[in-house]
Amino acid sequence: MTSDLDSLQQLASACAACRRCGLAEGRHQVVVGRGNPRARLLLIGEAPGAQEDLEGLPFVGRSGQLLDRLLQSAGIDSNRDVYICNVVKCRPPDNRKPSAAELAACRPWLEQQIALVDAPLVVLVGATALQGVLGIKGGITSLRGQWRPWQGRWLMPILHPSYLLRNPSERPGSPKALTLDDLRQVRERLAQLPAPL
Ligand code: URA
Ligand code: SF4
């Protein structure tokens, strides 16, 4: 029997050869995921940016560094506690938002990843992840920080770190402070999960 880890490797190889949408044209690398494939928390972002496209890893540019710092402040270790991926695996030109057609084309990869990592908690990072996974367009500011049951898992949308980079205030009630509160909620729920078998 192949383990889920083998299957994730197979998925990464298959995904690396994917040409299902036009984003294949401009990419250097397909960006599949990073972190602990056995983590109980799956983070899903938007799409690779320039740095991600060069390194082949998600969330390694400025947004990713901020995300790692926020996770750490909330007591979540981004190597041990999380697996990180994106709704779209190839970089859109000029970092534009992926189109609905591109989201749909890439969706089967994401679905396989969600099933293989099989994390009970899922965090949607930003409005595009919210749209790509739940089909909800807009409303991230009112939906962030709220858990919802989804396909046998618990899912929470949070604000995207690129938005926080543009709104750096850390005052109480600021987007950054709210995001830290949200991630603390995530850490609490992580701590309450029953121990894995
Ligand atoms: N880097 C990623 O990998 N995803 C994002 O959503 C933003 C930056
Ligand atoms: Fe394939 Fe997704 Fe890349 Fe499009 S973005 S080519 S669907 S891996």
Side-chain angles (χ1 to χ4, degrees):
M1 199 182 86
T2 51
S3 72
D4 286 351
L5 284 183
D6 293 340
S7 309
L8 258 180
Q9 292 276 316
Q10 283 166 14
L11 177 136
S13 320
C15 204
C18 177
R19 309 197 67 84
R20 274 184 210 152
C21 83
L23 296 183
E25 304 300 323
R27 73 183 180 216
H28 288 102
Q29 300 187 61
V30 179
V31 175
V32 183
R34 73 169 166 100
N36 178 2
R38 296 188 191 282
R40 336 261 353 257
L41 171 61
L42 174 65
L43 253 61
I44 306 177
E46 176 173 326
Q51 195 63 32
E52 288 80 12
D53 177 59
L54 287 178
E55 289 190 39
L57 293 169
F59 280 108
V60 289
R62 279 183 74 220
S63 286
Q65 286 161 16
L66 174 57
L67 183 65
D68 275 0
R69 282 202 300 280
L70 290 168
L71 287 167
Q72 197 178 27
S73 305
I76 299 171
D77 183 320
S78 67
N79 291 312
R80 183 195 59 198
D81 299 330
V82 229
Y83 185 81
I84 307 185
C85 67
N86 286 307
V87 282
V88 154
K89 313 301 183 203
C90 303
R91 182 189 181 201
D94 302 322
N95 297 342
R96 66 160 167 76
K97 255 188 70 150
S99 67
E102 288 155 358
L103 287 170
C106 214
R107 172 95 191 191
W109 296 121
L110 179 66
E111 281 171 9
Q112 284 182 55
Q113 248 176 338
I114 293 171
L116 286 169
V117 176
D118 199 20
L121 305 186
V122 178
V123 166
L124 302 179
V125 185
T128 305
L130 182 64
Q131 184 189 345
V133 174
L134 295 181
I136 299 174
K137 255 184 136 169
I140 184 99
T141 43
S142 55
L143 297 177
R144 57 138 277 279
Q146 293 181 40
W147 289 111
R148 60 172 68 213
W150 180 75
Q151 299 189 352
R153 312 177 199 282
W154 285 100
L155 186 149
M156 180 198 279
I158 64 169
L159 299 174
H160 197 283
S162 66
Y163 176 72
L164 305 180
L165 284 170
R166 298 192 298 271
N167 295 274
S169 163
E170 297 187 2
R171 277 196 304 274
S174 66
K176 211 165 171 179
L178 293 173
T179 303
L180 201 47
D181 290 346
D182 296 346
L183 290 173
R184 290 197 175 110
Q185 271 203 73
V186 173
R187 198 238 347 196
E188 272 167 35
R189 197 170 274 238
L190 255 184
Q192 287 162 5
L193 289 175
L197 293 179

